[in-house]
């Protein structure tokens, strides 16, 4: 007569076998590897916080020394009329798409810059039907005679992404005397001294090819917003070097205007002929020609995420980020993107796998404890030891990313003393942890989806890639989206509400009036 095995005995056998196997060489390797990933993240975030904190100390020290405008220039001598009069002209190009809850505030922060040199703002839209056109038109009427700005209809792109098309048309329309061109996304919230800080670095080192910055995502509370936040925070390490970097963010790029007039290194043709991602394309050109990319320590900008950022929009954003790795302009660029693809996928699973093992160890320990087994008898002590160490590294990484966010919030508040002070009072460390797990599980799936589909719907336009370049653009109405993914901007028919004029606008107006007499000298 066959012996009937109790379900509880089957569970005992399974958990015993699983916990024993996962404490072997492979299980130990997975846990140690996960600890190394967490250690490197924590170390990077700690170093980035040090760079940002050092800048805060410099600004506050300058303020205590009597320079109340240190958030503009830490060296008070820079305010001398002789130096301000020599500041070069800067053209700011802002490609727009749709209108959302944070746009008006962002545009005001860009237009009310306290940069002392001549500045022009070119707002680029695809057509007059874009909701951004009506919102910007009213804003420019409000700022009439105080800011040199205009809105330009760029038309539809046919050979590259709409954003790149808008940027290139803006470069074609920049002032003939502009020395630098600054590309800004419409979700960038500038500080009053940002343009001045970027220009000062370009003047100090003419070898700089591109200057960039990075957004400080401010989660709105939804899991989707925290997933976007956790995706960007590891990247923020590369932008907090305080100088040379290999990273580039398309939301803030300052370059020499002549590089677009002369098509230096093929920057114009490289973007125009099938370009999908502005930053990845320009980073590839910079790498191929050994050109310098830098990121000043003050170039960090608040980026409030949409209050209604859904998980589906988060997914599409991750799809877009992985889709970028499918675009390239040279064979070397393709090799680098493939390396980034596999490294990122591997690290994502190396991050997640130890947590799966930890859950098995913990469930086994609780099960056997409920049945009064000794840990030594079940060989679970080794597994729980690995779980304990991994938990400590997890806590360190979470505290490190929280600390970096806290420091960057302080820096943003110091750099924009007049603006609304941002806070992380609603910051949820548990959601950060969940988002880290969810994001790293999703990334490999997104990466594979992008690799095999070779197309993406972004802001209502479907782009198709072939050999790393855009070869087809689909604008069918049935495929159109109502919202952009991150900032929740309405892509059709949403109009702007009027905002109050800020104190910063008054300061900016005074700055422009101060400039006018010296134009006729």
């Amino acid at each position: 007569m066959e012996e009937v095995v109790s379900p509880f005995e089957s569970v005992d056998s399974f958990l015993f076998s699983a916990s024993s196997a996962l404490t072997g060489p492979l299980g130990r390797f997975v846990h140690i590897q996960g600890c190394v990933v967490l250690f490197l993240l924590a170390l990077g975030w700690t170093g980035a916080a040090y760079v940002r904190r050092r800048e805060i100390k410099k600004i506050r020290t300058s303020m205590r020394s009597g320079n109340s405008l240190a958030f503009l220039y830490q060296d008070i001598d820079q305010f001398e009329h002789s130096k301000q009069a020599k500041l070069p002209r800067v053209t700011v190009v802002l490609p727009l798409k749709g209108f959302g809850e944070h746009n008006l505030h962002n545009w005001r922060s860009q237009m009310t810059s306290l940069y002392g040199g001549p500045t022009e703002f070119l707002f680029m839209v695809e057509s007059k039907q874009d909701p951004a056109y009506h919102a910007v038109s009213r804003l420019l009427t409000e700022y009439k005679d105080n800011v040199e700005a205009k809105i330009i209809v760029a038309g539809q792109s046919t050979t590259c992404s709409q954003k790149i098309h808008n940027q290139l048309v803006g470069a074609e329309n920049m002032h003939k005397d502009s020395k630098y061109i600054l590309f800004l996304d419409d979700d960038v919230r500038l500080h009053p001294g940002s343009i001045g800080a970027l220009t000062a670095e370009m003047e100090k080192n003419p070898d700089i090819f591109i200057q960039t910055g990075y957004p400080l995502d401010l989660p709105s509370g939804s899991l989707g917003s925290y997933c976007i936040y956790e995706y960007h925070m590891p990247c923020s390490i590369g932008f907090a070097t305080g100088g040379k970097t290999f990273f580039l963010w398309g939301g803030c790029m300052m370059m020499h205007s002549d590089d677009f007039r002369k098509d230096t290194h093929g920057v114009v043709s490289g973007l125009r002929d099938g370009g999908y991602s502005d930053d990845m394309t320009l980073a590839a050109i910079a790498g191929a020609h050994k050109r310098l990319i830098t990121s000043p320590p003050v170039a960090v900008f608040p980026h409030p995420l949409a209050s209604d950022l859904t998980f589906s929009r988060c997914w599409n954003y991750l799809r877009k980020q992985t889709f970028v790795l499918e675009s390239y302009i040279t064979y070397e660029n393709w090799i680098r993107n493939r390396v980034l693809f596999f490294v990122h996928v591997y690290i994502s699973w190396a991050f997640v796998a130890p947590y799966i093992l930890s859950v098995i160890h913990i469930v086994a320990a609780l099960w056997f404890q409920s049945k009064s087994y000794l840990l030594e008898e079940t060989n679970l002590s080794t597994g729980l030891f690995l779980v304990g160490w991994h938990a400590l590294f997890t806590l360190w990484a979470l505290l490190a990313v929280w600390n970096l966010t806290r420091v960057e919030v302080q820096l943003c508040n110091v750099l924009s003393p007049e603006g609304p002070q941002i806070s992380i009072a609603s910051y949820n460390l548990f959601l950060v942890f969940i988002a880290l797990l969810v994001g790293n599980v999703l990334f490999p799936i997104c990466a594979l989806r992008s690799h095999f589909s070779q197309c993406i719907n972004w802001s209502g336009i479907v782009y198709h890639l072939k050999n790393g370049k855009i070869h087809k653009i689909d604008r069918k109405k049935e495929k159109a989206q109502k919202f952009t993914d991150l900032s929740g901007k309405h892509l059709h028919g949403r109009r702007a509400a009027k905002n109050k004029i800020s104190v910063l606008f008054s300061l900016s107006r005074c700055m422009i009036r101060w400039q006018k007499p010296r134009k006729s000298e």
Side-chain angles (χ1 to χ4, degrees):
M1 195 173 169
E2 294 184 4
E3 183 179 351
V4 179
V5 179
S6 167
F8 292 104
E9 291 179 358
S10 299
V11 173
D12 287 353
S13 177
F14 170 76
L15 290 177
F16 183 83
S17 300
S19 61
S20 297
L22 296 180
T23 54
L26 181 59
R28 295 182 185 186
F29 171 77
V30 170
H31 270 290
I32 293 172
Q33 181 179 247
C35 289
V36 170
V37 172
L38 290 167
F39 170 77
L40 293 176
L41 284 174
L43 195 64
W45 284 326
T46 301
Y50 170 77
V51 172
R52 305 297 192 191
R53 190 183 298 109
R54 183 178 59 191
E55 205 62 25
I56 295 174
K57 289 181 179 178
K58 288 181 181 179
I59 295 172
R60 288 176 173 170
T61 299
S62 181
M63 286 182 171
R64 285 193 294 268
S65 300
N67 180 10
S68 60
L69 297 177
F71 63 95
L72 297 178
Y73 294 102
Q74 295 177 28
D75 182 3
I76 198 169
D77 293 337
Q78 294 297 320
F79 290 101
E80 293 180 0
H81 184 275
S82 59
K83 294 186 177 181
Q84 291 286 305
K86 295 178 181 178
L87 291 174
R89 173 178 278 271
V90 176
T91 294
V92 182
V93 176
L94 303 104
L96 309 180
K97 182 72 174 180
F99 180 77
E101 59 185 306
H102 301 298
N103 280 125
L104 271 179
H105 187 91
N106 295 338
W107 296 337
R108 290 179 188 278
S109 74
Q110 293 159 352
M111 294 177 67
T112 55
S113 168
L114 296 183
Y115 175 61
T119 315
E120 66 171 341
F121 297 86
L122 304 181
F123 292 88
M124 313 300 302
V125 294
E126 176 184 328
S127 69
K128 291 184 178 180
Q129 282 67 49
D130 193 310
Y133 179 85
H134 304 288
V136 171
S137 297
R138 284 191 291 274
L139 190 65
L140 296 189
T141 301
E142 180 183 321
Y143 281 61
K144 186 178 180 181
D145 300 326
N146 293 295
V147 177
E148 187 178 343
K150 58 183 175 181
I151 185 169
I152 298 175
V153 177
Q156 292 186 345
S157 62
T158 56
T159 62
C160 59
S161 69
Q162 187 63 46
K163 178 185 177 181
I164 289 178
H165 176 72
N166 288 3
Q167 290 172 324
L168 293 178
V169 173
E172 291 173 0
N173 286 272
M174 64 182 165
H175 195 282
K176 62 182 180 64
D177 295 328
S178 282
K179 186 174 182 180
Y180 302 114
I181 183 168
L182 174 60
F183 297 106
L184 292 176
D185 281 356
D186 61 357
D187 55 0
V188 173
R189 187 170 295 182
L190 281 190
H191 306 295
S194 293
I195 297 178
L198 293 169
T199 305
E201 292 295 322
M202 297 290 280
E203 290 287 280
K204 189 186 305 181
N205 185 1
D207 291 333
I208 294 176
F209 182 52
I210 309 175
Q211 266 207 109
T212 188
Y214 205 64
L216 169 59
D217 288 337
L218 301 173
S220 59
S222 66
L223 178 59
S225 67
Y226 274 95
C227 285
I228 300 300
Y229 164 82
E230 70 78 19
Y231 177 83
H232 283 154
M233 287 309 288
C235 302
S236 68
I237 297 170
F239 289 85
T241 60
K244 182 179 179 180
T245 181
F246 297 101
F247 296 86
L248 183 60
W249 175 51
C252 175
M253 302 184 298
M254 177 174 275
M255 302 179 65
H256 295 270
S257 298
D258 281 345
D259 287 342
F260 283 84
R261 296 187 181 106
K262 301 175 182 178
D263 194 16
T264 306
H265 305 315
V267 294
V268 174
S269 54
L271 290 168
R272 181 190 59 220
D273 301 334
Y276 169 72
S277 170
D278 52 342
D279 47 15
M280 292 293 282
T281 301
L282 291 173
I285 292 173
H289 296 276
K290 305 295 188 294
R291 296 301 304 273
L292 180 62
I293 301 175
T294 65
S295 181
V298 295
V300 55
F301 311 106
H303 181 218
L305 296 172
S307 57
D308 59 347
L309 203 160
T310 61
F311 194 76
S312 62
R313 278 155 54 188
C314 168
W315 163 264
N316 200 51
Y317 178 77
L318 291 177
R319 277 268 290 111
K320 175 181 180 290
Q321 296 305 103
T322 56
F323 185 74
V324 165
L325 297 177
E326 300 300 318
S327 64
Y328 54 90
I329 59 173
T330 63
Y331 177 73
E332 292 76 14
N333 187 201
W334 178 81
I335 292 293
R336 188 176 70 171
N337 284 1
R338 293 277 65 78
V339 171
L340 286 173
F341 177 94
F342 288 111
V343 168
H344 202 156
V345 168
Y346 181 83
I347 291 178
S348 291
W349 279 109
F351 179 89
V352 172
Y355 292 103
I356 299 175
L357 270 60
S358 295
V359 169
I360 295 175
H361 285 308
I362 293 171
V363 169
L366 292 175
W367 176 266
F368 288 127
Q369 186 180 29
S370 69
K371 304 195 73 177
S372 301
Y373 283 105
L374 295 177
L375 293 181
E376 289 75 10
E377 295 178 2
T378 57
N379 198 30
L380 276 172
S381 56
T382 302
L384 293 179
F385 176 79
L386 294 171
V387 171
W389 274 104
H390 190 253
L392 287 175
F393 277 98
T394 299
L395 181 60
W396 181 22
L398 289 174
L399 291 176
V401 72
W402 166 80
N403 182 57
L404 173 59
T405 305
R406 180 182 62 85
V407 171
E408 289 187 333
V409 163
Q410 289 178 356
L411 178 58
C412 289
N413 287 334
V414 168
L415 292 172
S416 295
E418 182 274 337
Q421 298 293 281
I422 58 178
S423 168
I424 58 169
S426 61
Y427 190 84
N428 191 318
L429 210 56
F430 176 73
L431 280 179
V432 175
F433 172 67
I434 297 300
L436 281 167
L437 291 176
V438 172
N440 282 285
V441 168
L442 288 180
F443 184 87
I445 301 172
C446 288
L448 291 173
R449 175 79 172 82
S450 297
H451 178 70
F452 288 107
S453 69
Q454 292 291 296
C455 67
I456 187 72
N457 186 332
W458 187 244
S459 294
I461 304 174
V462 181
Y463 298 103
H464 301 263
L465 289 184
K466 185 177 181 180
N467 297 325
K469 296 185 178 181
I470 291 176
H471 80 104
K472 180 183 176 182
I473 300 175
D474 192 354
R475 289 184 169 86
K476 292 181 181 178
K477 290 184 179 180
E478 60 268 20
K479 294 185 179 181
Q481 296 173 318
K482 293 182 179 180
F483 304 96
T484 56
D485 292 310
L486 289 194
S487 54
K489 294 183 294 182
H490 290 261
L491 296 176
H492 312 286
R494 182 83 169 190
R495 298 206 170 191
K498 291 185 178 181
N499 279 22
K500 295 180 180 179
I501 297 177
S502 67
V503 175
L504 191 58
F505 173 62
S506 302
L507 291 174
S508 178
R509 182 184 300 178
C510 294
M511 182 75 75
I512 293 169
R513 288 175 178 171
W514 173 80
Q515 288 178 21
K516 285 183 178 179
R518 60 187 176 90
K519 289 182 180 179
S520 59
E521 290 178 1

